[in-house]
Amino acid sequence: MINLQPYSNPQYFLILLAALLPIIIGLYFGKRLKIYEALFTLVFLVLTFGGVKWQEGINLLLWLVFEFCLTFAYQHYRKQGKNKTSIFYLTVILAIIPLTVTKFMTTQPAGSVPFVVGFLGISYVTFKTVQVIMELRDGTIKQVDPGTYLRFLLFFPTISSGPIDRYRRFKQDYDKAPSRSDYITDMQYAVRYIFQGFLYKFIIGWFFGTLWLPKIEHQALAVGNMVGGLKLSWWVVAYMYCYSMYLFFDFAGYSLFAVGISYFMGIHTPMNFNQPFKSKNIKDFWNRWHITLSFWFRDFIYMRFTFWAMKKKLIKNRIRLSQASYLIDFLIMGFWHGLTWYYIVYGIYHALAIIINDIWLRFKRKHQKQIPHNKFTEAFAIFLTFHVVCFSFLIFSGFLSQLWFGWK
Amino acid sequence: MDIKATVLSILSDLTGEDFADRMDEDLYASGLLDSMASVQMLLSIQEQLGVPVPVSEFNRDEWSTPNKIVAKVESLENE
C-alpha cells in the first residue's frame, strides 16, 4: 500500500488540493461539509499512517482511545462538582505517559525495542489533550464535544508538527462557516502562505539543508578530527549558521503549509513564526519563534507555576520566582524535545539567556538616562540576539555530540 | 468595592503608573505588563475582589487594556 508523508513533495499538494476541492466549494457557498471533511481526514490519515507505517497507525488509534477515556472520565468527575488537586495531577500524568514512554524508548539503542514506538506527531497531539484537561480543571471548558474533540486532535493539516491550536479557538471556527468575503480573504492568504512555504521549504531550505549542510558537516568532522582537543574549527561556525537557516526555513515553510491548508478549510490555525531573526532580545525571540509552542508553555507551565507558587508564597521575591519559572519552563521544553543531553542543555541555555535578559532590562530601566538608545544600539541588539539564538541551535542540532562523542 | 478603582490600584501597584485617564492603553504593547505581572494581577484580583480568575481564563487579547480588564472582571463576577 502507498504511504504519503505530509507536505513532503510538491505532488502531495496536488493530491491534497484535489481532495480539498469539495470542502473549498462548500465553504464558498457558506456550508461546512462535515461528513466529507471527516472522510477526507480519514483517507489522509490512512495515507500518512498506512502502508509501511501501519504500526504507527495502530499506536495512534490506541493513543486516541486512551486519551478519550481519560478526558471524558475527568470531565465526568468535574461535572460532579469535584475538583481535587491530586486527581487533576493524576490525570495530567496519565495523559503524558504515552509521550514519556515514547521519548524514553526512542533513546534506547537501535534494535533493543522489538516494536514500533509512538507515531508521527505524538508530541503535538499530547499538548492538545493536556490543554483540554487543564481547562476542564479551571472550568473554562465545561463540556467537551466528542465529535469536535476528535476533529480537533486529528485536524489533518497540523497533525504531524503543529502549529498547536487551542480547543476553544478551534471550536469557534469549526462551528460556523465563514462569510463569503471572509472566506475569499482566507483563500488569498492560504495561497500566499503555501507559495511562501514552497519558497522556504523546497527552495531556500533545500539549499541550506540538503545542498550545503552535509558538505559543511563533512568538513567540520574531518578538520575537527585532525586538530583534536575540542575539535573546533571555523567549519563549526559555518555549520551553526547553515543549520540555523535550514531549521528556520524548513520549519517555517512547513508551518506555512499547515496554516495555509487550514485556511482553505476555514480554520484559522495560529501562525508559528513572525520574523524571528529580527528579534531585539530573547524574550522578543520567543514571541516570534515557534510561537504556538512557546505560548503553550507560557500559558500552561510558566503562568500556572508562577500563579501556584505565588499563591502558596513559595518564593516571595518576585524576581527569584520569575527566574525559577523560566528555568522550569525551558527545562520541560528541553525534555519535551527529547531525552538527550543537547536538548536539555538547549533548554537550560535559553532559560539562562532569558534570565540574563531580564536582569539587563531591569538595569536598563533603572539607568534609562545613562544608556543610549538609537539605531546602532538596536542593530547591535538584533545582531547579538541572532548569535545567541544561532548558538542555541548549534547545541540543539546535536552536531556537537556528533563531533565530540561520535553519536547524535 | 468598586471594580474599576480596585483594578486601577492593582495596575498602579504593578506598573507604578496611573491609568485613570488612559483606560484604553495597550499594556502589553507598551511593555508595562508581562506574564509575571499578569499572574500577579490575577492573584490580586482574586484576593481583593474575591473574583476567582483561573489562569486559562487569561487571554492577552481580552485583558490588554484597563477598560478590558474591568469588563472582564465584571463579567466573571456575574457568572
Side-chain angles (χ1 to χ4, degrees), chain A residues 341-355:
Chain A
W341 73 266
Y342 45 85
Y343 289 141
I344 295 156
V345 171
Y346 170 79
I348 296 171
Y349 175 91
H350 267 287
L352 292 178
I354 212 162
I355 288 170

Side-chain angles (χ1 to χ4, degrees), chain B residues 53-79:
Chain B
V53 190
V55 183
S56 45
E57 187 65 65
F58 182 81
N59 172 337
R60 274 190 193 207
D61 294 336
E62 293 173 5
W63 292 79
S64 55
T65 71
N67 262 332
K68 284 185 183 172
I69 297 169
V70 173
K72 201 73 197 163
V73 175
E74 278 169 352
S75 80
L76 283 168
E77 193 187 31
N78 296 329
E79 229 174 47

Side-chain angles (χ1 to χ4, degrees), chain A residues 112-345:
Chain A
S112 68
V113 182
F115 48 85
V116 174
V117 186
F119 54 89
L120 177 74
I122 183 172
S123 325
Y124 291 90
V125 281
T126 301
F127 280 119
K128 294 185 173 179
T129 18
V130 171
Q131 166 221 320
V132 167
I133 290 167
M134 288 192 174
E135 292 210 36
L136 279 170
R137 152 94 166 171
D138 282 357
T140 45
I141 296 177
K142 300 226 158 45
Q143 164 102 34
V144 180
D145 171 50
T148 314
Y149 189 41
L150 189 64
R151 288 166 198 267
F152 169 63
L153 291 177
L154 295 180
F155 184 58
F156 181 71
T158 62
I159 193 165
S160 61
S161 314
I164 308 154
D165 206 351
R166 306 278 172 98
Y167 175 79
R168 283 187 288 161
R169 206 215 60 75
F170 177 85
K171 189 171 187 302
Q172 231 175 25
D173 280 358
Y174 188 74
D175 284 348
K176 62 172 188 354
S179 74
R180 181 169 296 180
S181 67
D182 284 351
Y183 187 57
I184 289 174
T185 317
D186 282 358
M187 285 200 287
Q188 287 167 341
Y189 275 112
V191 171
R192 205 186 89 190
Y193 290 155
I194 290 170
F195 275 90
Q196 199 184 347
F198 282 144
L199 175 70
Y200 277 21
K201 191 174 164 72
F202 295 138
I203 301 176
I204 306 178
W206 181 84
F207 274 103
F208 283 112
T210 308
L211 190 66
W212 296 326
L213 200 62
K215 288 182 190 149
I216 295 174
E217 179 173 354
H218 183 79
Q219 286 294 330
L221 288 172
V223 175
N225 285 330
M226 241 159 56
V227 296
L230 279 175
K231 300 185 177 180
L232 298 178
S233 65
W234 287 108
W235 287 106
V236 178
V237 179
Y239 187 92
M240 175 181 88
Y241 286 123
C242 190
Y243 178 81
S244 300
M245 290 301 123
Y246 158 71
L247 187 66
F248 170 70
F249 284 105
D250 186 74
F251 195 16
Y254 156 82
S255 298
L256 283 163
F257 294 150
V259 173
I261 299 295
S262 303
Y263 273 47
F264 269 130
M265 298 171 77
I267 303 282
H268 292 130
T269 295
M271 262 297 169
N272 237 356
F273 293 91
N274 175 22
Q275 305 182 312
F277 295 137
K278 266 182 160 176
S279 312
K280 292 194 181 77
N281 60 48
I282 291 294
K283 236 179 181 167
D284 191 22
F285 172 77
W286 282 107
N287 286 328
R288 294 161 171 274
W289 174 269
H290 205 173
I291 300 169
T292 59
L293 178 80
S294 86
F295 283 12
W296 195 97
F297 273 87
R298 181 191 74 192
D299 295 347
F300 294 101
I301 304 216
Y302 179 92
M303 288 188 61
R304 290 188 91 89
F305 172 78
T306 315
F307 192 83
W308 174 79
M310 224 184 247
K311 207 169 157 184
K312 299 268 173 203
K313 302 204 165 46
L314 220 60
I315 304 173
K316 293 219 178 65
N317 184 316
R318 188 182 148 180
I319 294 166
R320 289 280 166 279
L321 174 57
S322 119
Q323 292 171 343
S325 304
Y326 277 133
L327 211 60
I328 287 169
D329 192 80
F330 281 101
L331 204 56
I332 296 177
M333 195 192 273
F335 276 104
W336 169 78
H337 278 297
L339 302 177
T340 321
W341 73 266
Y342 45 85
Y343 289 141
I344 295 156
V345 171

Side-chain angles (χ1 to χ4, degrees), chain A residues 82-134:
Chain A
K82 295 187 229 164
N83 196 8
K84 268 199 181 155
T85 309
S86 53
I87 298 289
F88 166 65
Y89 284 150
L90 182 70
T91 314
V92 172
I93 289 168
L94 285 174
I96 58 175
I97 275 185
L99 176 67
T100 316
V101 170
T102 302
K103 292 277 176 193
F104 179 73
M105 298 283 231
T106 44
T107 55
Q108 299 303 303
S112 68
V113 182
F115 48 85
V116 174
V117 186
F119 54 89
L120 177 74
I122 183 172
S123 325
Y124 291 90
V125 281
T126 301
F127 280 119
K128 294 185 173 179
T129 18
V130 171
Q131 166 221 320
V132 167
I133 290 167
M134 288 192 174

